[in-house]
Amino acid sequence: MPNRIIREGILTSEAVNSLSWEAEVFFRRLLSVVDDFGRFDARSSVLRSALYPLKLDSMREDSVQRCLKSCEAARLVVLYSIEGKEYLEVTNFRQQVRSKKSKYPAPDAHMRSTCLADAQHMHTKTESETKTNNTPSTPLPCTVEEVEDHLRAAAFAGRVRLTPDQIPDCATAYWGSRDAVNWTRNGIPVTKWQSDAISFATSYAVNHPVQPGTDKDPYSNLEEL
């Protein structure tokens, strides 16, 4: 299952707030199973098995379908059909893409752009607005993969005490925490993410100690990196 970053904006989202408790739990679980492009199989039977593996006795397919329709009505997902097969795509799915290709076919471009526009409450810009806001967006300083590679090298060099299993989660946690605040730290822009990531990883290692009870040195396999 892919690592996912659930941003705090979900707590103040009008669209999410419009859902029932049942539908909101459905949507939050859905975010954990969609692929890197926000897509997944939209069949009720598949969603029920994927989202409620331990609650199959209490979650029926008609309830899953009801929650899915609620999410569609709230413009949180797009439902579409390709060659007779049903799929869904989460709108405005802001996650760091690891995969180069989605596991599922994309919806029609017009359908996606229309639903995204509704979800984001976009409006047509006037000529003056366009001139004012035509500044290009600032590129992200790094990707999750770059952070992971950097921490892996730092662990191998002994600069941070992270095991190989901890490195992907630490890299994802770092990237998500900085991206959530527009790549700042205590209000100051992060200009050198490499050293900032090491500082974050040092604290992460302290707060996530390796569980005792193993005869093998948990850091001995760092030579395999």
Side-chain angles (χ1 to χ4, degrees):
M1 183 177 294
N3 293 320
R4 290 286 173 250
I5 302 169
I6 306 300
R7 293 178 171 80
E8 62 182 9
I10 195 173
L11 301 176
T12 55
S13 168
E14 292 292 342
V16 174
N17 187 57
S18 70
L19 301 175
S20 65
W21 279 110
E22 181 184 49
E24 181 175 344
V25 171
F26 170 89
F27 180 66
R28 287 175 178 266
R29 289 182 176 233
L30 179 64
L31 295 178
S32 299
V33 301
V34 294
D35 71 2
D36 282 352
F37 294 78
R39 299 172 193 151
F40 198 69
D41 193 312
R43 289 176 294 177
S44 298
S45 58
V46 176
L47 287 168
R48 175 171 171 263
S49 298
L51 273 60
Y52 304 94
L54 301 181
K55 295 183 178 294
L56 294 178
D57 293 337
S58 58
M59 193 65 178
R60 302 183 307 181
E61 286 188 22
D62 60 341
S63 297
V64 170
Q65 187 64 24
R66 181 174 61 251
C67 291
L68 181 60
K69 289 298 183 181
S70 295
C71 291
E72 181 187 30
R75 304 292 187 181
L76 292 169
V77 301
V78 176
L79 301 180
Y80 58 100
S81 177
I82 302 292
E83 297 182 353
K85 295 183 179 180
E86 302 298 320
Y87 301 98
L88 64 84
E89 182 178 88
V90 176
T91 59
N92 199 25
F93 190 64
R94 292 185 59 229
Q95 295 288 337
Q96 178 64 35
V97 177
R98 292 172 178 264
S99 303
K100 295 182 179 180
K101 183 178 181 181
S102 176
K103 298 178 182 178
Y104 308 95
D108 177 80
H110 174 71
M111 177 188 299
R112 183 197 288 118
S113 62
T114 300
C115 291
L116 280 173
D118 289 338
Q120 297 170 341
H121 302 286
M122 292 178 64
H123 63 279
T124 303
K125 293 183 177 181
T126 63
E127 182 179 354
S128 60
E129 287 178 316
T130 303
K131 291 180 179 179
T132 303
N133 301 318
N134 62 357
T135 303
S137 59
T138 304
L140 296 174
C142 61
T143 65
V144 172
E145 290 86 350
E146 289 174 330
V147 176
E148 188 173 326
D149 290 341
H150 182 62
L151 294 183
R152 200 178 300 278
F156 180 76
R159 297 176 62 196
V160 292
R161 298 284 285 178
L162 291 175
T163 65
D165 291 341
Q166 290 178 310
I167 291 172
D169 289 340
C170 180
T172 300
Y174 168 75
W175 194 95
S177 68
R178 293 297 181 261
D179 184 59
V181 291
N182 297 319
W183 288 92
T184 61
R185 181 180 180 181
N186 299 325
I188 302 174
V190 174
T191 57
K192 296 182 179 181
W193 68 264
Q194 293 88 344
S195 58
D196 186 48
I198 295 298
S199 177
F200 181 93
T202 301
S203 297
Y204 184 94
V206 172
N207 295 322
H208 298 79
V210 176
Q211 295 299 320
T214 176
D215 295 332
K216 182 181 179 181
D217 179 0
Y219 298 97
S220 63
N221 60 346
L222 289 176
E223 297 178 358
E224 302 172 3
L225 298 176

